[in-house]
Amino acid sequence: MSVIGVVLAGGKSSRMGQDKALLRLPNGKTLLEHSIELLNGLGLADVVISRATRPDKIAQDISCIADQTFNLGPLSGIAAVINARPEATALLIIPVDLPFLTDELLAELLERGQNLQCASYFCKHYLPCYLPINNTTTSYIAQQLENPDARRSVFGLLKNANALALPVDSNFLANANTPEEWQRVFRHYSSHSFKGI
């Protein structure tokens, strides 16, 4: 199998007021660097960034893949990766804004998805997810992107794929979309010990 790791990092970060991917964690790493490091540790065939431009200090061997159709959300980024990596049999997709995500959780998601050969995600959290690439997946994404009235949600994509929901401690999947939430991340970090941060 050829599983490609994907970091979704192309959003506007409008509520944060600055590029979330470049926010620095207490250990000095950016959220993007943290995400890439997690995926690199899983032995995947490749790791790519769904993003139009390459930030400074990101290794040149990490490809940045821009959306082919802009302002259509994460499905557009996923479609661009599928088109750019036709050898992929599955994608392991993570958003860039999960500071407490661990390699153990991603390894569990990858293992369950591969062993059961089905789309997988953590209960009530539609990203990260493991997504097999097949005609059902690609057809659904294409239909969603072509329909101007479609919701184009990752939830809809996973539901269409009959994805398996895995149990999880939601604290590890807390994200930050506003400056206030980002400050809470730091307060949470100071009172908890999370591997990798």
Side-chain angles (χ1 to χ4, degrees):
M1 294 185 67
S2 182
V3 182
I4 306 295
V6 182
V7 182
L8 294 176
K12 294 181 178 180
S13 303
S14 55
R15 286 184 287 168
M16 183 63 73
Q18 59 181 303
D19 190 345
K20 287 190 294 185
L22 304 183
L23 291 174
R24 292 199 177 276
L25 294 162
N27 65 4
K29 294 176 184 175
T30 65
L31 281 173
L32 182 57
E33 289 169 334
H34 170 66
S35 301
I36 291 170
E37 187 174 278
L38 288 175
L39 290 172
N40 275 338
L42 296 175
L44 303 174
D46 195 8
V47 174
V48 302
I49 308 167
S50 171
R51 184 182 173 96
T53 58
R54 176 188 305 281
D56 294 337
K57 298 184 180 179
I58 297 300
Q60 291 296 315
D61 61 346
I62 303 288
S63 296
C64 284
I65 300 175
D67 291 9
Q68 297 167 327
T69 308
F70 295 99
N71 299 320
L72 295 183
L75 291 194
S76 182
I78 294 169
V81 172
I82 291 172
N83 288 335
R85 293 291 187 272
E87 74 278 11
T89 56
L91 304 179
L92 184 62
I93 306 166
I94 68 174
V96 76
D97 60 355
L98 297 182
F100 301 124
L101 183 61
T102 66
D103 49 2
E104 288 90 352
L105 281 178
L106 286 177
E108 177 188 357
L109 188 62
L110 177 63
E111 181 180 8
R112 293 295 293 275
Q114 286 183 312
N115 288 346
L116 298 175
Q117 289 295 292
C118 72
S120 306
Y121 66 101
F122 291 110
C123 188
K124 298 182 181 179
H125 298 272
Y126 307 119
L127 288 169
C129 69
Y130 176 86
L131 184 69
I133 305 304
N134 51 44
N135 288 336
T136 299
T137 299
T138 55
S139 296
Y140 179 84
I141 293 174
Q143 291 168 4
Q144 292 292 300
L145 295 179
E146 291 166 4
N147 181 356
D149 298 320
R151 294 185 61 190
R152 305 187 189 98
S153 69
V154 175
F155 167 69
L157 173 62
L158 293 170
K159 184 177 180 181
N160 183 74
N162 294 315
L164 173 68
L166 306 178
V168 70
D169 178 346
S170 291
N171 287 320
F172 288 100
L173 299 179
N175 63 3
N177 290 307
T178 66
E180 294 76 21
E181 289 175 351
W182 184 242
Q183 289 304 313
R184 282 200 293 272
V185 165
F186 271 72
R187 288 197 297 271
H188 202 67
Y189 168 77
S190 67
S191 60
H192 294 77
S193 177
F194 287 92
K195 182 180 177 183
I197 296 183

